[in-house]
Amino acid sequence: MERSVLDSLGVEIIGVMSPVSICMLLVVLLVSTLSPSSPAAVADSAASATSAATLVYAESPSDPPARRLVGALLNAAAFVALVAVATTLLVLLYYYRFTGFLRNYVRLSAFFVLASMGGSILLSVLRAIDLPLDAFSAIFLLFNLSAVGVPAVLSAAVPILLRQAYLVALAVIVAAWFARLPEWTTWTLLLALALYDLAAVLCPRGPLRVLVELASSRDEELPALVYESRPAGASVSNAVADLGSVELQPVEATPPNRANATQNSDPDLTIVEIESFDETSPLVSNEQPNLSNNDRLQPDIAPRRETGVERNQDISPSSSSSPSPVTTTDSEEFDTSRGIRLGLGDFVFYSVLVGRAAMYDLMTVYACYLAIIAGLGCTLILLSICRHALPALPISITLGIGFYFLTRLLLEPFVVGASANLATILWHRLNYAIAVFSIP
Amino acid sequence: MTVSAGLGYMLISLGPALSLFVSVIAKKPFLILTLLASMLFWLISLIVLSGAWRAFLPLKSALWWPYVILIITSVIFQEATRLIFWKLYKRLEVVLDAFAEEKFRTRLSWTDKMLIALAGGLGHGVAHAVFFCLSLLTPSFGPATFYADRCSRIPFFFVSAIISLGFTIIHTFSMVIAFNGYAEGKKPDQAMVPAVHMLAAAVTLINLAPGGCVVGVPLVCFMGAVTLYYCWQMVWRKLKDQQSRQRNSSDVHVS
């Protein structure tokens, strides 16, 4: 079949949106599998979910709204302050070239996230679906999975598909933890983080901006967890059918002289050229060929215009005896040689929003998902206009929260009212009937 | 019977849409973006509509005429949404055409345009199915099922799954018909789409009568089949035209 413009337009955007969608889908599935059905269990889980995000105030449903609001605001402020301090620390360490320490720290925290938090989530999933698994093989599996994750998250020698899978897994695990926060705290926290993101990336001396500029001036990788969607090499046409086909080649296998693709008669490569270079400035493609013929593992060729989003979160789940520090660093940057990159923190907080929506209804999940994806699309369009990296949270989170409340307040009575004409039942009655039947 | 029943209902309502997505839409990134945009568009229109209706809801279930008004306004509003979507697409098409000329030396082919229309329609259909069926289906994953008073033979979930299947088909293919009708300025096609939509929506009102779902549900499916058939006729006609035109042009070329 003849190639048309439909095949090539938007490959990069889909390359970012599909992992985000997969991450959100997994979190929604996790949350809806694990969400406790009885009120007692709700209270129980809320009590156990003390973490860095509920330092100041532990929300309980019986408190009056004013108190809850103030408490949630305090929680959010404390958490953002913590994040800011951690980020500043990270920037300082990076500035004084403690890069090895940072990289090892990221690896260590990835291991801890996968092993302890992932293990506890695995345990509750196994419990929820009634699957018996003996302790020995569980530990064996968990240890192996986490051990592979340690080199996978930062090293470039690992196949990119594996790396992306691990990054998505990390995001899912952290988001599933965050989704256990009480409701009001979640909303204020998300809004506060979106504001923080905006400030940290766009302010002249914002920590994330400093960090990314530092990294690009030193011409090295950020010592952080960043998802990169590689521009699809030869497999543009089925780039979207599955994530894997795009990302199977490891980093060093990227075609070294991709900028020459303009002269190349191969239609696939021409498309890559259109996608990755057309939106960027001509000076990039001019200096690309000679530089990229170097045998460098990481072709950091193009002058990178990037600003990142960088965030450290400290979550200390009370259920585990030792607090496990988690570094989730996210940054979004637009790099001409390697497509779009999105920080892991963006993955996490998008998924937290959707996961929180999943506790209410499927309709809100759907509305939030669409809003977040639309926000991401807007950010990506802005990115191709601005050419320097942008915070990925603010637009998406604002839209997501807005759509959540709109759906909840406006849409639900309408949909239930309109659907009621199918058989004239009211939602409450249905729920009541289900509740009656589901009591064992 | 619980999770499998829920999944089954889901697949009844969304199975065709899913296979369309996997076989056609997912292969072309731009179509995915169109799909998402169309879903978002539909969602926004629904939110606006429900905002307007908020004051009057929930309806007293004893009366039937408020439902008529509700359905009529909804259908009119959705058709207006379709028109706006078309206007937006029209603008986008100019850009796309320019882009395609520059890069591929061809303009958008008519199949491309139809694919875009299909993706847009699928977005509307899936959005409809998610809101009016899937959101009600969540309890069906639990250990019970539910029978409504006025339709005591068929489970409520099954009824809504089949109705949403019918509406997904109607939405998906009427978008193709409508876009083609707008592009070629065909009045019958343009009029046919709102008529089918309104009729199908009106048919669901039969479900309000006791035992009405036995009549209403097959009628919705029938409307879906009519839309599908009409769309197929239209595409087939265009295909024939195209083929004969190509043959003519190649004849000219040979001579």
Side-chain angles (χ1 to χ4, degrees), chain B residues 37-55:
Chain B
S38 145
M39 282 173 163
L40 186 74
F41 217 75
W42 198 88
L43 174 66
I44 293 172
S45 81
L46 194 66
I47 287 179
V48 171
L49 186 64
S50 56
W53 268 92
R54 183 72 181 94

PDB file of all heavy atoms in Angstrom, chain B residues 37-55:
ATOM      1  N   ALA B  37      -8.541  12.976  19.683  1.00  0.00           N
ATOM      2  CA  ALA B  37      -9.134  14.307  19.596  1.00  0.00           C
ATOM      3  C   ALA B  37     -10.649  14.207  19.539  1.00  0.00           C
ATOM      4  O   ALA B  37     -11.361  14.975  20.187  1.00  0.00           O
ATOM      5  CB  ALA B  37      -8.603  15.028  18.365  1.00  0.00           C
ATOM      6  N   SER B  38     -11.123  13.229  18.755  1.00  0.00           N
ATOM      7  CA  SER B  38     -12.567  13.100  18.623  1.00  0.00           C
ATOM      8  C   SER B  38     -13.217  12.683  19.937  1.00  0.00           C
ATOM      9  O   SER B  38     -14.301  13.173  20.299  1.00  0.00           O
ATOM     10  CB  SER B  38     -12.854  12.120  17.505  1.00  0.00           C
ATOM     11  OG  SER B  38     -13.977  11.361  17.755  1.00  0.00           O
ATOM     12  N   MET B  39     -12.539  11.784  20.659  1.00  0.00           N
ATOM     13  CA  MET B  39     -13.063  11.397  21.977  1.00  0.00           C
ATOM     14  C   MET B  39     -13.143  12.591  22.908  1.00  0.00           C
ATOM     15  O   MET B  39     -14.142  12.784  23.607  1.00  0.00           O
ATOM     16  CB  MET B  39     -12.129  10.373  22.620  1.00  0.00           C
ATOM     17  CG  MET B  39     -12.258   8.986  22.110  1.00  0.00           C
ATOM     18  SD  MET B  39     -10.933   8.049  22.869  1.00  0.00           S
ATOM     19  CE  MET B  39     -11.503   6.415  22.590  1.00  0.00           C
ATOM     20  N   LEU B  40     -12.082  13.389  22.903  1.00  0.00           N
ATOM     21  CA  LEU B  40     -12.048  14.546  23.787  1.00  0.00           C
ATOM     22  C   LEU B  40     -13.161  15.519  23.419  1.00  0.00           C
ATOM     23  O   LEU B  40     -13.836  16.073  24.290  1.00  0.00           O
ATOM     24  CB  LEU B  40     -10.688  15.227  23.682  1.00  0.00           C
ATOM     25  CG  LEU B  40     -10.489  16.362  24.662  1.00  0.00           C
ATOM     26  CD1 LEU B  40     -10.265  15.808  26.046  1.00  0.00           C
ATOM     27  CD2 LEU B  40      -9.321  17.218  24.260  1.00  0.00           C
ATOM     28  N   PHE B  41     -13.348  15.676  22.137  1.00  0.00           N
ATOM     29  CA  PHE B  41     -14.367  16.574  21.639  1.00  0.00           C
ATOM     30  C   PHE B  41     -15.742  16.140  22.115  1.00  0.00           C
ATOM     31  O   PHE B  41     -16.541  16.939  22.594  1.00  0.00           O
ATOM     32  CB  PHE B  41     -14.302  16.515  20.116  1.00  0.00           C
ATOM     33  CG  PHE B  41     -14.539  17.813  19.484  1.00  0.00           C
ATOM     34  CD1 PHE B  41     -13.547  18.774  19.503  1.00  0.00           C
ATOM     35  CD2 PHE B  41     -15.734  18.098  18.880  1.00  0.00           C
ATOM     36  CE1 PHE B  41     -13.764  19.989  18.926  1.00  0.00           C
ATOM     37  CE2 PHE B  41     -15.951  19.305  18.308  1.00  0.00           C
ATOM     38  CZ  PHE B  41     -14.972  20.260  18.328  1.00  0.00           C
ATOM     39  N   TRP B  42     -15.993  14.868  21.990  1.00  0.00           N
ATOM     40  CA  TRP B  42     -17.280  14.323  22.403  1.00  0.00           C
ATOM     41  C   TRP B  42     -17.478  14.509  23.900  1.00  0.00           C
ATOM     42  O   TRP B  42     -18.550  14.875  24.371  1.00  0.00           O
ATOM     43  CB  TRP B  42     -17.323  12.845  22.039  1.00  0.00           C
ATOM     44  CG  TRP B  42     -18.690  12.284  22.008  1.00  0.00           C
ATOM     45  CD1 TRP B  42     -19.535  12.279  20.956  1.00  0.00           C
ATOM     46  CD2 TRP B  42     -19.372  11.654  23.085  1.00  0.00           C
ATOM     47  NE1 TRP B  42     -20.703  11.683  21.308  1.00  0.00           N
ATOM     48  CE2 TRP B  42     -20.644  11.290  22.606  1.00  0.00           C
ATOM     49  CE3 TRP B  42     -19.045  11.362  24.406  1.00  0.00           C
ATOM     50  CZ2 TRP B  42     -21.570  10.645  23.385  1.00  0.00           C
ATOM     51  CZ3 TRP B  42     -19.970  10.731  25.189  1.00  0.00           C
ATOM     52  CH2 TRP B  42     -21.225  10.376  24.678  1.00  0.00           C
ATOM     53  N   LEU B  43     -16.389  14.259  24.646  1.00  0.00           N
ATOM     54  CA  LEU B  43     -16.461  14.407  26.098  1.00  0.00           C
ATOM     55  C   LEU B  43     -16.801  15.840  26.477  1.00  0.00           C
ATOM     56  O   LEU B  43     -17.667  16.084  27.336  1.00  0.00           O
ATOM     57  CB  LEU B  43     -15.119  13.993  26.706  1.00  0.00           C
ATOM     58  CG  LEU B  43     -14.974  14.213  28.193  1.00  0.00           C
ATOM     59  CD1 LEU B  43     -15.908  13.321  28.945  1.00  0.00           C
ATOM     60  CD2 LEU B  43     -13.557  13.952  28.636  1.00  0.00           C
ATOM     61  N   ILE B  44     -16.134  16.788  25.817  1.00  0.00           N
ATOM     62  CA  ILE B  44     -16.398  18.193  26.140  1.00  0.00           C
ATOM     63  C   ILE B  44     -17.848  18.536  25.823  1.00  0.00           C
ATOM     64  O   ILE B  44     -18.538  19.183  26.621  1.00  0.00           O
ATOM     65  CB  ILE B  44     -15.429  19.109  25.361  1.00  0.00           C
ATOM     66  CG1 ILE B  44     -14.009  18.899  25.875  1.00  0.00           C
ATOM     67  CG2 ILE B  44     -15.822  20.557  25.514  1.00  0.00           C
ATOM     68  CD1 ILE B  44     -12.972  19.592  25.062  1.00  0.00           C
ATOM     69  N   SER B  45     -18.320  18.041  24.666  1.00  0.00           N
ATOM     70  CA  SER B  45     -19.709  18.355  24.310  1.00  0.00           C
ATOM     71  C   SER B  45     -20.666  17.762  25.333  1.00  0.00           C
ATOM     72  O   SER B  45     -21.659  18.381  25.713  1.00  0.00           O
ATOM     73  CB  SER B  45     -20.020  17.839  22.913  1.00  0.00           C
ATOM     74  OG  SER B  45     -20.320  16.476  22.946  1.00  0.00           O
ATOM     75  N   LEU B  46     -20.332  16.565  25.805  1.00  0.00           N
ATOM     76  CA  LEU B  46     -21.206  15.935  26.799  1.00  0.00           C
ATOM     77  C   LEU B  46     -21.193  16.718  28.109  1.00  0.00           C
ATOM     78  O   LEU B  46     -22.235  16.879  28.760  1.00  0.00           O
ATOM     79  CB  LEU B  46     -20.753  14.491  27.047  1.00  0.00           C
ATOM     80  CG  LEU B  46     -21.756  13.648  27.792  1.00  0.00           C
ATOM     81  CD1 LEU B  46     -22.990  13.453  26.945  1.00  0.00           C
ATOM     82  CD2 LEU B  46     -21.177  12.317  28.167  1.00  0.00           C
ATOM     83  N   ILE B  47     -20.007  17.211  28.475  1.00  0.00           N
ATOM     84  CA  ILE B  47     -19.922  17.965  29.728  1.00  0.00           C
ATOM     85  C   ILE B  47     -20.745  19.249  29.624  1.00  0.00           C
ATOM     86  O   ILE B  47     -21.487  19.609  30.542  1.00  0.00           O
ATOM     87  CB  ILE B  47     -18.447  18.264  30.073  1.00  0.00           C
ATOM     88  CG1 ILE B  47     -17.769  16.994  30.552  1.00  0.00           C
ATOM     89  CG2 ILE B  47     -18.356  19.330  31.147  1.00  0.00           C
ATOM     90  CD1 ILE B  47     -16.329  17.156  30.891  1.00  0.00           C
ATOM     91  N   VAL B  48     -20.633  19.919  28.467  1.00  0.00           N
ATOM     92  CA  VAL B  48     -21.402  21.145  28.280  1.00  0.00           C
ATOM     93  C   VAL B  48     -22.894  20.847  28.357  1.00  0.00           C
ATOM     94  O   VAL B  48     -23.665  21.522  29.054  1.00  0.00           O
ATOM     95  CB  VAL B  48     -21.041  21.792  26.929  1.00  0.00           C
ATOM     96  CG1 VAL B  48     -21.978  22.948  26.625  1.00  0.00           C
ATOM     97  CG2 VAL B  48     -19.614  22.272  26.940  1.00  0.00           C
ATOM     98  N   LEU B  49     -23.275  19.783  27.659  1.00  0.00           N
ATOM     99  CA  LEU B  49     -24.688  19.404  27.639  1.00  0.00           C
ATOM    100  C   LEU B  49     -25.195  19.080  29.042  1.00  0.00           C
ATOM    101  O   LEU B  49     -26.272  19.524  29.454  1.00  0.00           O
ATOM    102  CB  LEU B  49     -24.853  18.186  26.733  1.00  0.00           C
ATOM    103  CG  LEU B  49     -26.278  17.721  26.483  1.00  0.00           C
ATOM    104  CD1 LEU B  49     -27.029  18.800  25.746  1.00  0.00           C
ATOM    105  CD2 LEU B  49     -26.273  16.451  25.677  1.00  0.00           C
ATOM    106  N   SER B  50     -24.383  18.308  29.777  1.00  0.00           N
ATOM    107  CA  SER B  50     -24.849  17.929  31.110  1.00  0.00           C
ATOM    108  C   SER B  50     -24.858  19.123  32.037  1.00  0.00           C
ATOM    109  O   SER B  50     -25.675  19.190  32.957  1.00  0.00           O
ATOM    110  CB  SER B  50     -23.986  16.812  31.671  1.00  0.00           C
ATOM    111  OG  SER B  50     -22.651  17.198  31.675  1.00  0.00           O
ATOM    112  N   GLY B  51     -23.954  20.087  31.774  1.00  0.00           N
ATOM    113  CA  GLY B  51     -23.992  21.314  32.558  1.00  0.00           C
ATOM    114  C   GLY B  51     -25.302  22.040  32.349  1.00  0.00           C
ATOM    115  O   GLY B  51     -25.905  22.557  33.289  1.00  0.00           O
ATOM    116  N   ALA B  52     -25.769  22.035  31.093  1.00  0.00           N
ATOM    117  CA  ALA B  52     -27.031  22.704  30.794  1.00  0.00           C
ATOM    118  C   ALA B  52     -28.210  21.972  31.437  1.00  0.00           C
ATOM    119  O   ALA B  52     -29.184  22.587  31.848  1.00  0.00           O
ATOM    120  CB  ALA B  52     -27.222  22.801  29.285  1.00  0.00           C
ATOM    121  N   TRP B  53     -28.107  20.646  31.532  1.00  0.00           N
ATOM    122  CA  TRP B  53     -29.224  19.864  32.066  1.00  0.00           C
ATOM    123  C   TRP B  53     -29.169  19.688  33.570  1.00  0.00           C
ATOM    124  O   TRP B  53     -30.053  19.076  34.157  1.00  0.00           O
ATOM    125  CB  TRP B  53     -29.252  18.488  31.400  1.00  0.00           C
ATOM    126  CG  TRP B  53     -30.112  18.456  30.199  1.00  0.00           C
ATOM    127  CD1 TRP B  53     -29.724  18.686  28.925  1.00  0.00           C
ATOM    128  CD2 TRP B  53     -31.513  18.195  30.155  1.00  0.00           C
ATOM    129  NE1 TRP B  53     -30.788  18.586  28.081  1.00  0.00           N
ATOM    130  CE2 TRP B  53     -31.892  18.283  28.817  1.00  0.00           C
ATOM    131  CE3 TRP B  53     -32.482  17.901  31.117  1.00  0.00           C
ATOM    132  CZ2 TRP B  53     -33.208  18.091  28.407  1.00  0.00           C
ATOM    133  CZ3 TRP B  53     -33.781  17.708  30.718  1.00  0.00           C
ATOM    134  CH2 TRP B  53     -34.133  17.802  29.365  1.00  0.00           C
ATOM    135  N   ARG B  54     -28.093  20.156  34.167  1.00  0.00           N
ATOM    136  CA  ARG B  54     -27.829  19.833  35.565  1.00  0.00           C
ATOM    137  C   ARG B  54     -28.994  20.194  36.478  1.00  0.00           C
ATOM    138  O   ARG B  54     -29.331  19.449  37.394  1.00  0.00           O
ATOM    139  CB  ARG B  54     -26.568  20.592  36.014  1.00  0.00           C
ATOM    140  CG  ARG B  54     -26.129  20.307  37.420  1.00  0.00           C
ATOM    141  CD  ARG B  54     -25.545  18.909  37.519  1.00  0.00           C
ATOM    142  NE  ARG B  54     -25.134  18.624  38.871  1.00  0.00           N
ATOM    143  CZ  ARG B  54     -25.895  17.999  39.757  1.00  0.00           C
ATOM    144  NH1 ARG B  54     -27.113  17.652  39.429  1.00  0.00           N
ATOM    145  NH2 ARG B  54     -25.438  17.738  40.965  1.00  0.00           N
ATOM    146  N   ALA B  55     -29.609  21.326  36.175  1.00  0.00           N
ATOM    147  CA  ALA B  55     -30.632  21.823  37.083  1.00  0.00           C
ATOM    148  C   ALA B  55     -31.869  20.927  37.104  1.00  0.00           C
ATOM    149  O   ALA B  55     -32.582  20.865  38.096  1.00  0.00           O
ATOM    150  CB  ALA B  55     -31.030  23.240  36.673  1.00  0.00           C
TER     151      ALA B  55
END
